[in-house]
Amino acid sequence: MDIRKEMTELGRRAKAAARIMAGADSRAKDAALLALADLLEAEGAAIAAANDRDLEAARTAGMDAPRLDRLRLTDKVVAAMARACREIAAQNDPVGGVDTMWRRPNGLLVGRMRIPLGVIAMIYESRPNVTVDSGALCLKAGNAVILRGGSEAFHSNQCLAGLVHRALAGAGLPADAVQLVPTTDRAAVSAMLKLDQYIDVIIPRGGEGLIRAAVAEATMPVLKHYKGVCHAYVDAGADQDQALEVVFNAKVQRPGVCNALEGLLVHADEAGAFLPRVARRLGGAGVEFRACPRALPLLGATARPAGPDDFGQEFHDLVLAVRVVDSMTQALDHIAEHGSNHTEIILTRDHGRAMRFLREADASMVAVNASSRFNDGGELGLGAEIGISTSKLHSYGPMGATELTSTKFVVFGDGQVRA
């Protein structure tokens, strides 16, 4: 295979498909999404067989537990993909919508109309559900997408992409609107990152190394987040029972994902009572603590002194960095220094401090008295997400169908000419 030639052909076909998708009827797009949901439910055995091949190869290769978890397509994950397709189909079509309109003194009516981004290229690791989520969202937003999943999920991605193509064909839409890179050769990624004549935006989704490599090589815009270093700040006077449940969920439910809690900041007024409870509840679930000198004696046997790199670390495991702070200002300073603009949460009963935290914590999602695990497109009502952007140009946070569009100016006149 001439990889550069093959990738150029994928790009050319995607560009042609994107023109068709930009004008596709909403009913056809929604019909494809509903058909895809049905296929996911009907083809569960085929999906499981393909995923089992990938899992077996990954275990043989010594893949670690967090990555195996992301690779596994359980019945629950497949059902969630089908549900997401139906939720996306039920949403209003963003394409062609006019967000706002105003009249100029000369009588011109000026507006901003939503349009597709064009051709999107996805580079992602492990998670084969991204194949369906990305395909569904790009379809709804009138884009074409080129998908390059990791070699560890090759058979799963092939199976899922085949279902997407069947759904597109049944709705009379071009199969080239969703294309899967047919090789695991890394040279295909390098070639794709140079196809700015065909590809409008790259979205890398995976480890920090993958994302930084894409940013360094790409000749087109990149929507990205490097890592998820998410903090919880337990404020003075917080409801400790509630805070404990939120912190437990944020850290323990799925520690390997990007919206899992990595840092816990506790106001000094609460630390003496709260941190021993954290030690019992989270420590009992296997969490190891990397603690500042003030937190260390309060966290029991599973705590050890924090090293110089533990604050700001994305552990992807049952490890939590803990620091006692004297004020919310100190907590916000810590977040500014060590956060990654992903997710920050505050546990508080004080409305004024909650509102200050919402304004000043710089992250794509900031929450009051709720788990960091809610920074997810499905949980926020987007149906699904193609990724989470921690860069502020174009999109900040989970990217659903609307975030996969841009706007152009539209002008209605009655013969006006410029003086």
Side-chain angles (χ1 to χ4, degrees):
M1 179 188 291
D2 183 330
I3 288 177
R4 185 169 297 278
K5 183 177 179 181
E6 180 75 16
M7 295 307 299
T8 300
E9 178 62 14
L10 255 66
R12 185 195 65 76
R13 285 159 43 194
K15 194 77 169 178
R19 290 189 63 194
I20 298 171
M21 292 302 299
D25 187 85
S26 298
R27 291 169 294 185
K29 294 190 291 186
D30 292 343
L33 289 166
L34 294 173
L36 177 56
D38 292 342
L39 284 168
L40 288 165
E41 292 173 341
E43 298 292 341
I47 294 169
N51 190 233
D52 284 343
R53 291 181 66 184
D54 290 329
L55 287 167
E56 181 59 31
R59 291 189 196 96
T60 301
M63 181 179 284
D64 58 59
R67 291 181 67 202
L68 278 172
D69 178 57
R70 293 193 290 273
L71 177 59
R72 187 173 290 106
L73 288 174
T74 63
D75 291 344
K76 182 179 179 181
V77 172
V78 174
M81 288 191 289
R83 183 170 61 251
C85 289
R86 294 191 176 103
E87 289 177 0
I88 295 167
Q91 295 171 1
N92 292 330
D93 189 343
V95 179
V98 177
D99 289 349
T100 184
M101 189 163 276
W102 59 95
R103 191 173 294 278
R104 300 289 296 139
N106 62 2
L108 286 179
L109 196 58
V110 181
R112 299 183 71 100
M113 177 182 285
R114 293 229 152 253
I115 59 170
L117 293 177
V119 178
I120 295 168
M122 282 289 300
I123 307 169
Y124 52 105
E125 297 173 328
S126 294
R127 303 174 187 273
N129 60 294
V130 173
T131 299
V132 170
D133 290 348
S134 300
L137 288 166
C138 288
L139 166 61
K140 183 73 174 187
N143 297 295
V145 63
I146 300 172
L147 302 167
R148 203 288 186 178
S151 58
E152 69 280 0
F154 187 70
H155 298 101
S156 303
N157 289 334
Q158 280 189 316
C159 178
L160 294 172
L163 300 183
V164 176
H165 290 155
R166 287 168 60 184
L168 287 167
L173 296 172
D176 287 341
V178 180
Q179 297 182 79
L180 187 69
V181 174
T183 177
T184 60
D185 194 320
R186 291 181 181 272
V189 175
S190 295
M192 186 167 68
L193 292 171
K194 304 303 181 187
L195 293 177
D196 54 343
Q197 71 270 43
Y198 298 119
I199 296 172
D200 295 285
V201 63
I202 295 281
I203 303 178
R205 185 168 172 176
E208 185 177 359
L210 167 75
I211 297 168
R212 290 196 181 277
V215 171
E217 289 192 55
T219 56
M220 67 286 288
V222 181
L223 289 172
K224 61 191 182 294
H225 82 262
Y226 290 121
K227 55 185 177 180
V229 181
C230 308
H231 297 91
Y233 166 57
V234 179
D235 189 26
D239 180 333
Q240 289 199 9
D241 291 340
Q242 182 185 84
L244 186 62
E245 292 304 313
V246 170
V247 168
F248 182 87
N249 175 261
K251 178 72 259 185
V252 174
Q253 188 205 31
R254 287 192 71 188
V257 295
C258 63
N259 56 16
L261 194 66
E262 303 291 11
L264 175 62
L265 307 172
V266 181
H267 193 283
D269 290 354
E270 303 299 324
F274 186 67
L275 286 179
R277 298 182 66 184
V278 169
R280 290 190 295 273
R281 183 76 190 280
L282 277 70
V287 175
E288 175 188 307
F289 304 102
R290 311 281 174 86
C292 76
R294 297 167 74 184
L296 185 63
L298 301 171
L299 284 169
T302 62
R304 66 179 180 81
D309 297 324
D310 285 331
F311 294 111
Q313 181 69 255
E314 187 176 29
F315 297 108
H316 287 307
D317 204 352
L318 289 172
V319 180
L320 184 64
V322 184
R323 180 185 176 189
V324 176
V325 295
D326 292 315
S327 65
M328 189 168 76
T329 296
Q330 193 173 60
L332 288 166
D333 288 345
H334 179 102
I335 289 167
E337 181 178 358
H338 299 290
S340 62
N341 305 108
H342 195 290
T343 309
E344 307 296 347
I345 65 175
I346 181 172
L347 291 312
T348 186
R349 292 194 240 211
D350 186 280
H351 177 74
R353 289 198 292 271
M355 297 308 295
R356 181 190 169 196
F357 193 87
L358 290 177
R359 289 191 303 269
E360 296 186 24
D362 188 1
S364 73
M365 188 193 88
V366 184
V368 178
N369 297 329
S371 174
S372 61
R373 294 281 290 115
F374 285 111
N375 196 1
D376 169 89
E379 295 293 334
L380 296 179
L382 306 183
E385 68 182 39
I386 202 168
I388 294 176
S389 171
T390 58
S391 52
K392 296 177 187 176
L393 292 180
H394 175 71
S395 180
Y396 198 27
M399 298 179 62
T402 300
E403 288 72 32
L404 292 177
T405 62
S406 184
T407 60
K408 65 181 177 184
F409 283 97
V410 293
V411 179
F412 295 89
D414 187 26
Q416 288 93 336
V417 296
R418 184 169 176 176

